Amino acid sequence: MNKIIHFSFIGGDLRQKSVMCSLANDGHKVCSFGFSKQLLSDAPFIICSPNLEECVKHADVVILPLPYGKEDYLNAPFSDDKIHTSDLLRCMDDKQLLFAGKVDERLKTLAALYNLHPIDYMEREELAVCNAIPTAEGALEIAMSETPYTLHGANCLVIGYGRIGKILSKDLQALGAYTYIAARKHADLAWIKANAMIPVPLPVLEHFIDIFDIIFNTAPAPLLDYKRLSLLQKDCLVIDLASPPGGVDFEAAGQLGRKVIKALSLPGKVAPNTAGEIIKDTIVNILEELGV
């Protein structure tokens, strides 16, 4: 982007603050609403607007959080008041671009009433791939803090060989863990073997599942059901990284006394600055493709 763009940020967490600071440092005009002045006290180039309409009216691009919100309200943990999604959309016009994370049908339908078409930056592959790095590091942090032994020498299972599974298994291997990966596709099993890790075909997972100290689930499918959970070692730690509904039967885990940790949105929790830079780069990429 070779021109100065007016960005307006409505709500969000520390990731959004990082995005705002980075764009302001690049010379763009950045306004915000839904953040306390105290939170932005170290960012003097960011304008804290007194109200929603003032924040939005001169914007070229309006950016909502990741996820953008819940029910009728935007995700704004640092706002003193709730921000209605419809109030924001009413302030916008169809010449402005609207970006949001995890756009659902509710937002699409509501935005269409105002002739707006939200762009979901979470759907971009570059964001998903880069986000897998802090997700993997966050998972390792949980595993280290929740177990009385080192990852080095531990029997670790990663279920799923997608973006997170690839990075997490590589990190586990580098730390000296015995790294097993459960996958369904023959191509994935071949790559796992080629990378000097131990492939486990999903259909035969039950035959191996009792040897693991830690299990990381990345697959958004109900793979850890009552039967498989019942076969685990008593002190096996299960960390579920999958998007809702996840991959663990939590009710069964409770009945069996298994230790399961649901770990969502780790990038924003463990590395908000890095996660914010990833979001910013993704938005810039989209704007460049749109010719903005």
Side-chain angles (χ1 to χ4, degrees):
M1 298 185 298
N2 296 319
K3 64 179 182 179
I4 296 175
I5 295 175
H6 185 146
F7 291 91
S8 290
F9 285 77
I10 314 298
D13 53 24
L14 292 177
R15 289 174 291 182
Q16 301 302 102
K17 178 187 176 182
S18 176
V19 181
M20 288 191 286
C21 290
S22 185
L23 287 170
N25 287 337
D26 287 346
H28 298 290
K29 186 173 182 179
V30 179
C31 295
S32 69
F33 182 76
F35 296 87
S36 66
K37 289 186 178 180
Q38 182 178 3
L39 180 71
L40 299 178
S41 61
D42 59 344
F45 297 110
I46 297 173
I47 300 169
C48 293
S49 298
N51 56 65
L52 190 59
E53 185 176 2
E54 183 68 24
C55 184
V56 172
K57 68 179 181 180
H58 296 301
D60 301 306
V61 181
V62 176
I63 299 179
L64 304 186
L66 171 62
Y68 81 89
K70 185 177 181 181
E71 297 179 348
D72 297 325
Y73 304 101
L74 297 179
N75 176 19
F78 297 113
S79 176
D80 293 331
D81 302 305
K82 290 184 176 181
I83 305 172
H84 288 267
T85 306
S86 56
D87 289 344
L88 164 69
L89 298 175
R90 273 195 293 267
C91 293
M92 295 184 62
D93 63 54
D94 58 8
K95 295 178 183 177
Q96 296 172 310
L97 294 174
L98 176 63
F99 285 76
K102 292 190 176 180
V103 173
D104 55 16
E105 289 303 318
R106 183 186 185 89
L107 180 59
K108 289 179 182 178
T109 301
L110 190 59
L113 297 176
Y114 301 92
N115 200 28
L116 298 169
H117 306 281
I119 299 169
D120 191 347
Y121 53 82
M122 185 61 190
E123 288 187 347
R124 297 281 293 201
E125 180 68 10
E126 69 266 40
L127 187 145
V129 170
C130 292
N131 248 3
I133 298 170
T135 298
E137 290 191 9
L140 294 176
E141 180 183 8
I142 293 171
M144 291 176 181
S145 63
E146 294 291 336
T147 53
Y149 43 80
T150 62
L151 291 178
H152 187 283
N155 286 326
C156 295
L157 171 67
V158 177
I159 299 177
Y161 200 55
R163 306 177 191 97
I164 296 172
K166 287 181 173 70
I167 293 173
L168 177 57
S169 58
K170 179 173 66 69
D171 290 347
L172 285 167
Q173 186 184 46
L175 288 168
Y178 294 106
T179 307
Y180 298 73
I181 308 171
R184 193 181 306 277
K185 296 179 181 178
H186 294 294
D188 287 341
L189 295 169
W191 274 111
I192 293 163
K193 186 176 181 180
N195 287 321
M197 290 175 275
I198 306 165
V200 180
L202 271 174
V204 298
L205 179 57
E206 288 85 357
H207 303 308
F208 298 89
I209 203 165
D210 61 342
I211 71 170
F212 298 114
D213 302 304
I214 306 170
I215 296 176
F216 302 87
N217 178 65
T218 71
L223 297 176
L224 291 176
D225 54 13
Y226 187 97
K227 179 182 178 182
R228 285 171 171 162
L229 290 169
S230 68
L231 297 173
L232 298 182
Q233 294 183 42
K234 185 178 180 180
D235 59 350
C236 176
L237 172 65
V238 178
I239 301 173
D240 192 7
L241 303 168
S243 301
V248 181
D249 185 335
F250 279 83
E251 183 177 349
Q255 294 172 0
L256 293 165
R258 301 299 186 232
K259 186 174 183 179
V260 181
I261 296 175
K262 185 70 172 175
L264 294 176
S265 302
L266 288 179
K269 296 173 182 176
V270 303
N273 287 357
T274 298
E277 198 63 32
I278 293 168
I279 293 171
K280 179 243 184 173
D281 289 344
T282 301
I283 290 171
V284 168
N285 291 344
I286 295 170
L287 291 174
E288 289 178 347
E289 290 172 8
L290 292 173
V292 176

